[in-house]
Amino acid sequence: MGTDHYTKVANFQSQSYELRGNPEYWQPKKQRIAGIRVLGFSGNDSANLAFENGEASVFWPST
């Protein structure tokens, strides 16, 4: 993942981490969002509950 859009680790915790844009990415205009937060869940039930409660979301940028 060293050459992907988002590689800079901005924050790392036991249950989540945040990635920011790679300043060396060869197509900077494809970095349409500032960063990505990845959440860790103990299973599908806790993940589904977080989505239902609005505590988690998925963003799919248009291509």
Side-chain angles (χ1 to χ4, degrees):
M1 197 161 119
T3 61
D4 203 2
H5 298 61
Y6 303 93
T7 58
K8 182 178 179 190
V9 177
N11 187 1
F12 186 86
Q13 298 178 3
S14 62
Q15 294 296 316
S16 68
Y17 63 92
E18 294 179 25
L19 297 175
R20 296 287 182 239
N22 177 358
E24 303 297 321
Y25 189 65
W26 65 288
Q27 291 179 313
K29 291 183 179 181
K30 290 203 172 190
Q31 292 174 319
R32 297 180 185 162
I33 57 176
I36 301 167
R37 179 179 296 140
V38 180
L39 303 174
F41 295 100
S42 60
N44 289 343
D45 291 338
S46 60
N48 290 338
L49 186 60
F51 279 102
E52 289 175 12
N53 291 336
E55 299 166 355
S57 65
V58 175
F59 172 74
W60 298 105
S62 59
T63 54

